[in-house]
Amino acid sequence: MKTNKVLLTLISLTFFTSNHASSNENSDLIKPNVVIFYADDLGWQDTTLNDLDDPVVWETPNIAALAKDAINFTNAYSPAPTCAPSRAALLSGLHPAKTGITNVVGGQIPAPHKSEKYISAYFPEGLSPEHLTIAEALKMNGYKTGHVGKWHAGHLQIQSSKNQGFDFVNESRGAHQGPKGKNNRVNYFATHSKKDPYRLSDEKYYPFTKDSPNGISYPTDEVTESALEFMDKNKQEPFFLYLAHWMVHYPIHTKNRELLQYYTDKLGMEFPTKDIPITTGGQTNPYFGAMVTTLDWSLGRVVDYLKKTDDPRNPGKKLYETTYIFFSSDNGGAEQRRDEIMSDNAPLDKGKKYTQEGGIRVPMLISGPNIVKGKTKDVLINQLDFFPTVLSLTNSEIPEKYRAELDGLDISNVLIDDENDVKYENGKPREELWWHYPFGLKSTQQSAIRFGDFKLYKNYLSGDYLLYRLYKNGKRNDLEEMHNIAKQEPEVVKDLSQRLEKYLKDYDAKYPYKDPTRFNDKEHKQQVALIPSIVNDNFDAKSRQVSVTLAKGNTDVVESYALIKISDEAKADKKAKKNKKGKKGKKSKVASTYVKVPVTVTENKLGYTYTVPKEAKEYGIILIDENRFMVKSKFHQLN
């Protein structure tokens, strides 16, 4: 457990001294910088990197330019099809199934969704103190660490980026802040006024048009500016920048009127005068196109700074020559929200929130010192590989108990040695990746495994397997996942399902549970009548122990845990106005979450005890019976 910050500090000093000594012994050894530029909801077909079939409409010249100095991984994947689990996985190096962070908006008491008969399993909201982040790992090794942009890895103070290893933090939405009140996306654009918080730049950038042959201005983006500020202030030491951009996540809008005009012209549309959803299919949303190009502009600003700035630690070199850049997206593209059609992942199937290719396959570039330039590789890569690879590239060390837990692999042999296989420590090539997303609609409650040319899905509610062959003999075959060949390939289904089931068992992956109030049919009536019944639920205030007793004669409990609610300390809202009597304003809203607490079970499985920590605000127990029905105790509030 990562609970002793003093111990980590001592370890950090030890590692830093060791690395510093090594640097003195080898004058050629540099301590490279690391930048992870993480886009939000940027699809595999939203850039020109992997341009298949119909040409990609959105223009990304800076991404294309970086690709000339990088390796473009065409079979690159995010750890999950949604935001929070991918970010937590990238930062911790742990598979979502291992941390339990498998979806967004976690840390809640499990409840059925709308008319669904199943209840999603509990999952935590974000990273907790026992998780070692990549920022903490590099900080141990003498790095200055900075995070700008989106966090989404926990809202409690103990889960904040400031408490997860980052020296510098700015989580502003920047130019992605949506219009409010009377403002909307057709009348709220940045200007050149000095009073405008999104003031247009004097400098000109891509695109170059007839009306603007020298380029156009861009609104001030605090995310980008903070990233440049962090690098400039910390270039005297090795730095790690985690730039997690808010774009191209909805709301879909732009403050750059000239860029919006460029895309409406390109798409043959009239400039919008009413704020109504764009409902045409394909890549026809000019607002989204402007967001993609703005994201590209932000990357260009970062790369341009690195190219123009001398590295004070490595005379004669620019920072660009001593910095590793990892560019990718947290999940596949979000194609539609409500009536608004944003983009199109075709030929990939589906998008965000799906384990199909459109939801997890992402653009990925990696560049830096000694990395081969301008290559395209189809080797299987996952963002879980970033953590161990960065450790290798920076010659950084962490305690073995944390290294042994990492779920990704060191891909530096592919980056530096131009090899075509990612390898395990025993030298065996990796052939598979897997995902676990038991949420959402019936069709999305799946786990999946990619093995070589094949992709297999396990559907939780139907219990069947789906099999697709994406490639055949190295060539595209069924990338669209249109032809389920499970019946034609029973041996492949057997092999891949066994591999997937082993992962799910080894990682103790959680599945949906049945809601006993929604199974009223004849088939389940008897099972529902025999679900566990709580007859005693007592709390001893002195020992803070809860004792729960079940009635005899019901179905056995196969899984049990307690949930307790914890919160940040409430603070007075300094902005709140005092009332007429001069009393202080109301306390500000505090962040809260539910966390798991283990229970002790008696041998007959009728008695359950657990201890409620002093900081708990509420407590209750969750029981799962042998037929996968969920039973919840009353949740009791504490003063």
Side-chain angles (χ1 to χ4, degrees):
M1 300 275 297
K2 188 195 63 179
T3 56
N4 192 330
K5 294 288 185 180
V6 175
L7 175 60
L8 289 182
T9 301
L10 292 174
I11 294 172
S12 172
L13 291 173
T14 302
F15 287 156
F16 179 68
T17 302
S18 172
N19 286 327
H20 182 67
S22 299
S23 297
N24 288 338
E25 291 173 7
N26 185 353
S27 59
D28 294 330
L29 181 66
I30 64 169
K31 199 68 174 173
N33 308 303
V34 178
V35 173
I36 295 179
F37 192 105
Y38 210 38
D40 197 346
D41 289 359
L42 185 71
W44 194 66
Q45 286 294 290
D46 283 335
T47 78
T48 55
L49 293 176
N50 309 298
D51 197 351
L52 295 183
D53 300 342
D54 294 336
V56 172
V57 176
W58 320 134
E59 298 182 22
T60 53
N62 292 296
I63 293 173
L66 179 62
K68 293 179 180 179
D69 286 339
I71 297 177
N72 175 26
F73 291 99
T74 61
N75 278 270
Y77 291 92
S78 60
T82 53
C83 170
S86 288
R87 292 166 193 274
L90 182 150
L91 289 162
S92 68
L94 306 179
H95 195 284
K98 182 177 286 184
T99 62
I101 307 168
T102 47
N103 202 0
V104 297
V105 195
Q108 300 183 0
I109 300 171
H113 178 67
K114 295 181 180 179
S115 60
E116 293 292 326
K117 298 169 68 175
Y118 287 82
I119 304 173
S120 295
Y122 165 85
F123 61 96
E125 182 197 19
L127 296 172
S128 52
E130 73 260 22
H131 297 122
L132 180 75
T133 69
I134 189 171
E136 288 171 314
L138 291 174
K139 194 171 180 178
M140 286 178 179
N141 289 270
Y143 277 75
K144 287 291 184 180
T145 56
H147 166 244
V148 298
K150 189 172 182 177
W151 179 241
H152 216 174
H155 290 89
L156 292 187
Q157 292 173 7
I158 58 172
Q159 298 174 305
S160 71
S161 50
K162 291 181 180 178
N163 288 317
Q164 297 287 350
F166 288 99
D167 300 312
F168 174 87
V169 171
N170 185 337
E171 294 174 5
S172 164
R173 295 185 74 93
H176 188 261
Q177 182 66 53
K180 298 178 181 179
K182 295 180 180 180
N183 297 320
N184 60 54
R185 62 181 183 174
V186 300
N187 66 16
Y188 188 56
F189 298 106
T191 67
H192 284 284
S193 171
K194 292 182 179 180
K195 295 181 180 180
D196 190 337
Y198 307 105
R199 182 185 179 188
L200 290 169
S201 64
D202 293 329
E203 299 81 12
K204 302 294 183 178
Y205 303 93
Y206 185 91
F208 309 102
T209 66
K210 289 183 179 179
D211 294 333
S212 302
N214 296 320
I216 68 173
S217 298
Y218 278 73
T220 300
D221 175 41
E222 191 172 343
V223 175
T224 307
E225 299 306 320
S226 293
L228 299 177
E229 175 190 354
F230 167 76
M231 292 189 294
D232 199 54
K233 287 185 176 180
N234 293 281
K235 61 188 177 184
Q236 299 289 343
E237 301 177 63
F239 61 77
F240 165 58
L241 171 64
Y242 173 52
L243 196 169
H245 221 290
W246 293 90
M247 293 186 184
V248 292
H249 194 287
Y250 51 78
I252 306 304
H253 69 102
T254 178
K255 292 181 174 60
N256 193 332
R257 193 187 195 287
E258 202 167 1
L259 188 55
L260 181 61
Q261 181 71 64
Y262 175 77
Y263 271 109
T264 56
D265 291 345
K266 180 175 182 177
L267 294 166
M269 301 169 58
E270 293 293 328
F271 191 87
T273 57
K274 294 182 180 180
D275 188 4
I276 57 176
I278 304 296
T279 58
T280 49
Q283 293 182 335
T284 58
N285 190 325
Y287 297 102
F288 188 84
M291 292 175 71
V292 172
T293 300
T294 300
L295 177 81
D296 178 83
W297 165 85
S298 179
L299 175 68
R301 293 284 309 283
V302 171
V303 171
D304 188 56
Y305 169 83
L306 295 171
K307 285 184 174 180
K308 291 181 177 179
T309 307
D310 293 330
D311 184 345
R313 295 182 297 108
N314 293 273
K317 293 183 180 293
K318 300 294 184 182
L319 287 174
Y320 187 69
E321 300 174 83
T322 60
T323 301
Y324 290 104
I325 302 175
F326 293 72
F327 170 81
S328 196
S329 176
D330 62 347
N331 46 249
E335 294 182 313
Q336 185 171 352
R337 177 170 169 77
R338 299 192 180 98
D339 294 333
E340 182 101 19
I341 295 176
M342 295 175 264
S343 192
D344 193 338
N345 295 320
L348 303 186
D349 188 30
K350 302 291 191 299
K352 180 181 180 179
K353 297 184 180 179
Y354 290 84
T355 51
Q356 275 72 17
E357 290 293 285
I360 55 176
R361 193 183 285 214
V362 292
M364 185 183 293
L365 296 175
I366 304 178
S367 70
N370 302 315
I371 290 180
V372 293
K373 299 179 183 292
K375 282 290 186 82
T376 297
K377 290 182 179 287
D378 60 5
V379 60
L380 290 180
I381 300 292
N382 192 295
Q383 290 164 5
L384 288 166
D385 299 331
F386 286 8
F387 200 138
T389 302
V390 167
L391 292 180
S392 176
L393 294 174
T394 60
N395 193 31
S396 296
E397 297 289 344
I398 59 174
E400 180 55 33
K401 65 176 181 178
Y402 293 121
R403 182 180 283 277
E405 283 291 302
L406 294 177
D407 287 309
L409 297 178
D410 174 10
I411 65 170
S412 57
N413 68 307
V414 175
L415 299 175
I416 306 297
D417 301 328
D418 200 18
E419 295 183 6
N420 291 317
D421 290 314
V422 174
K423 298 177 181 177
Y424 294 99
E425 289 187 359
N426 61 9
K428 182 181 178 181
R430 178 172 67 190
E431 298 179 280
E432 62 201 45
L433 296 172
W434 69 286
W435 298 265
H436 181 58
Y437 189 71
F439 300 99
L441 304 174
K442 292 181 180 180
S443 61
T444 63
Q445 294 192 22
Q446 298 176 323
S447 290
I449 185 169
R450 168 83 191 270
F451 184 88
D453 291 345
F454 293 94
K455 181 94 171 283
L456 178 126
Y457 297 90
K458 176 183 180 180
N459 286 335
Y460 285 109
L461 303 192
S462 63
D464 62 340
Y465 294 99
L466 307 175
L467 180 69
Y468 301 91
R469 185 162 191 174
L470 307 182
Y471 298 93
K472 189 172 184 179
N473 299 323
K475 295 183 178 181
R476 174 177 168 182
N477 183 59
D478 185 21
L479 201 56
E480 298 85 351
E481 298 178 277
M482 294 179 62
H483 307 291
N484 177 17
I485 57 172
K487 291 183 179 179
Q488 293 94 312
E489 299 284 355
E491 290 303 314
V492 178
V493 172
K494 180 180 178 181
D495 178 31
L496 268 62
S497 63
Q498 288 177 346
R499 292 172 183 271
L500 179 58
E501 294 295 344
K502 186 177 188 308
Y503 279 124
L504 295 170
K505 181 180 179 181
D506 291 348
Y507 281 70
D508 192 24
K510 303 302 180 186
Y511 315 116
Y513 301 111
K514 297 176 183 176
D515 180 355
T517 67
R518 300 187 179 186
F519 281 80
N520 302 316
D521 55 290
K522 292 182 180 180
E523 181 184 351
H524 296 93
K525 190 173 183 179
Q526 186 174 1
Q527 292 181 350
V528 172
L530 292 174
I531 62 173
S533 175
I534 298 173
V535 294
N536 286 307
D537 185 2
N538 300 318
F539 173 64
D540 186 311
K542 186 175 182 180
S543 66
R544 303 194 66 81
Q545 190 172 77
V546 178
S547 299
V548 176
T549 306
L550 306 184
K552 296 180 180 179
N554 294 328
T555 51
D556 286 341
V557 172
V558 296
E559 183 182 344
S560 59
Y561 58 88
L563 289 178
I564 62 138
K565 183 180 182 180
I566 59 173
S567 304
D568 287 334
E569 183 179 350
K571 297 180 180 179
D573 189 350
K574 295 180 180 179
K575 295 181 180 179
K577 296 180 179 179
K578 293 182 179 181
N579 60 24
K580 293 181 180 179
K581 295 182 179 180
K583 292 183 178 180
K584 294 181 179 180
K586 296 180 180 180
K587 290 183 177 179
S588 60
K589 186 178 180 180
V590 297
S592 300
T593 191
Y594 289 88
V595 297
K596 262 187 179 183
V597 172
V599 300
T600 300
V601 186
T602 58
E603 189 173 347
N604 63 4
K605 296 184 179 181
L606 296 178
Y608 299 81
T609 58
Y610 60 94
T611 302
V612 178
K614 291 182 179 180
E615 62 268 23
K617 308 295 183 183
E618 191 177 332
Y619 67 90
I621 195 169
I622 305 289
L623 306 169
I624 310 299
D625 84 345
E626 59 191 270
N627 296 313
R628 297 194 63 75
F629 283 104
M630 176 181 283
V631 177
K632 294 180 282 189
S633 74
K634 177 182 177 182
F635 273 72
H636 308 272
Q637 292 188 352
L638 295 168
N639 294 327

